[in-house]
Amino acid sequence: MRARLVRAPPGPRARQPTNGVRNMELRDIEIFLALAEELHFGRTAQRLYVSTARVSQAIKQQERSIGAELFHRDSRNVRLTPVGEQLRADLLPVHRGLRESLERARLAAQGKTDVLRVGMMSSNAHELRRYWDTFRSRHPQWGLRLRHAPFTEPFAGLRRGDVDILVCWLPVLEPDLVVGPKFFSESRILAVAIDHELAGRATGSLEMLGDFQVPAGLSLPGYWGDAYTPPHTPRGRVIERTQPVENVDDIFALISAGESVNLFPAHVSRYWARPDIAWLPIPDMETLDFGLVWRGEAENDLIRAFAQVVRDLHES
């Protein structure tokens, strides 16, 4: 008699993924998660260095495989459906774990035991080379990786665990975040269109902002946005924030079109030189302080070591 193989029923450990999820390739997962964060096909394509058509194709293929829409789309908005929300929640820890596994393998191949991931909200990483070089020379067993950090939802990357330390302007008044040493300070400049009525001036003033509109950053803590652009001029006039923006490209588009002016730290004029933008120093504004910020419960030896590098170099 031939023995018959009896397959045991699956246990209660975890639900099996749908065929659509099982058939998703890593790049498709990255596209889905990036679009779920950006909610914009064009920005997702730019972020992943693929075409917009590739993003659209990947999402449509995922939706056909799963059998449900993952995103609602219309001429103005892209947003996750309930199915998309569930898929995002399921995929985020899986994707993070896979990235961390690959990262550990790369580190082992380089003879390193861990890596410090620094999110930079400023654009002047080159001018801060002595900090990066000192950390690497003091701690050759660790790697250091710099990442751009967006100003919208500014602390989300820290809270998701995408970065270990954030370099951002101060103050930061979040109960779960630790503010470390001040990193650097910058004077302020005003960006205007090259043909703007202010473009011919040698300097500007904070009071001037009461005559023009400035962009309004989305999803910013109120106190934090006010530290960057005050809500009132020194004479008490309201500084109008009318145009919602999600990134620096949006800001420059508004400035170039003459629809807005915008304050920046001084280094932006060196790293974002543009033929359509004029820069005016604003000598009557206080400097903008940038510091190190990290999640309190995630503090570790790497974070403490880098904070000590900053303190030591400031004292030297």
Side-chain angles (χ1 to χ4, degrees), residues 107-120:
L107 289 171
Q110 298 167 12
K112 298 186 183 299
T113 60
D114 211 339
V115 63
L116 180 69
R117 300 162 301 164
V118 180
M120 292 287 297

Side-chain angles (χ1 to χ4, degrees), residues 26 33 53 58 115 132 163 254:
L26 177 59
L33 291 176
V115 63
W132 322 133
V163 295
L254 292 171

